[in-house]
Amino acid sequence: MSRAVPRPRSLPRRRPRPSRHGAAEDGPERPLPLLPRLLVMVCAFVFMVVFAAVLARLTLHPSPASEALTHTNLRPGRSLKAYLDQPALRDAVRQIGGNILLGVPFGVLTPVLAPRTRGFLRVLVLTAVVMLLVEFAQGALVTGRAFDVDDVILNTGGALIGYLLLGRRLSRAVHARRPKA
C-alpha cells in the first residue's frame, strides 16, 4: 500500500510589516528629494512669518473702545460659557472657531520647520508656551485686551488638530526619522 506524501506548500512571501509610523520596518523612512524638501521648508518659513504677522495683528492690536469690556480670565471655561450664553450663535462660533483656527497653522508648520518638535506632547507644550506668552503680552501691554486662559486652550487645541491632520505627515515627508542605534 502506498501512501501519498503530501506535497509541501510553498511558503508565502513575507511582506514587511508596517511600523506604527506607516513605513516598512526593513529600512529607514525616506524623505523627499532635496529640491522639493528645500521648497517645502522655504514655503513653511514664509507661511510661518505670515502667520506670526497675522497673529500679532489680531492679538496685539490695541482696542481702546473695548477697554471697559475686557477682563482677565484665569478660570478655564468661563469665557467659553460667556460666548455660548450670547443670544447670537454667530458670535460664539466666531470667537471659539476663530481661536481654534488661529492655532492650526502653528501645529502644521512648527514640526516642518523644527523636526525635533514633532510629537503630540511636544507640539502641545510648545504651542501652550507660545500662546501663553502671546496672552501675557496681550494682557500686560495692549490697551483694551486681557489675558484669557480659554484662548490659550482653544489655540493649543487648534494647533493639535493641525498637527494631527497635516503637520505630522508633512513633517515626516520632509524629515526622515533616523534609525535607532
Side-chain angles (χ1 to χ4, degrees):
M1 224 191 309
S2 80
R3 284 185 152 177
V5 177
R7 199 168 149 192
R9 293 183 183 171
S10 61
L11 295 174
R13 294 179 80 179
R14 192 173 152 232
R15 285 188 247 167
R17 285 185 336 193
S19 70
R20 66 185 178 117
H21 302 293
E25 288 183 12
D26 288 349
E29 294 178 16
R30 302 205 187 267
L32 292 172
L34 181 62
L35 190 58
R37 283 178 65 200
L38 289 175
L39 184 62
V40 168
M41 293 286 290
V42 167
C43 288
F45 180 76
V46 169
F47 287 135
M48 185 61 97
V49 169
V50 169
F51 167 67
V54 168
L55 181 67
R57 174 77 174 127
L58 291 174
T59 60
L60 301 177
H61 186 70
S63 180
S66 61
E67 189 171 359
L69 302 173
T70 60
H71 62 281
T72 298
N73 174 28
L74 299 175
R75 199 168 47 174
R78 177 190 271 169
S79 293
L80 295 175
K81 184 178 180 325
Y83 296 149
L84 295 172
D85 287 344
Q86 293 178 0
L89 180 64
R90 181 180 53 169
D91 292 336
V93 169
R94 195 177 93 210
Q95 286 291 331
I96 294 170
N99 276 315
I100 290 172
L101 286 176
L102 200 57
V104 170
F106 199 78
V108 172
L109 298 173
T110 300
V112 173
L113 293 172
R116 289 185 180 241
T117 63
R118 185 169 55 193
F120 188 85
L121 189 59
R122 289 178 181 174
V123 170
L124 173 92
V125 170
L126 182 64
T127 304
V129 167
V130 169
M131 295 307 170
L132 275 168
L133 290 173
V134 168
E135 286 294 320
F136 281 136
Q138 187 177 7
L141 305 173
V142 183
T143 305
R145 300 286 184 160
F147 177 88
D148 190 345
V149 72
D150 288 334
D151 289 352
V152 174
I153 292 167
L154 292 171
N155 295 150
T156 303
L160 293 175
I161 290 168
Y163 173 72
L164 292 173
L165 292 179
L166 188 59
R168 177 176 50 174
R169 289 180 186 93
L170 192 57
S171 177
R172 285 185 189 148
V174 175
H175 308 287
R177 283 192 180 263
R178 297 203 167 104
K180 294 180 181 178

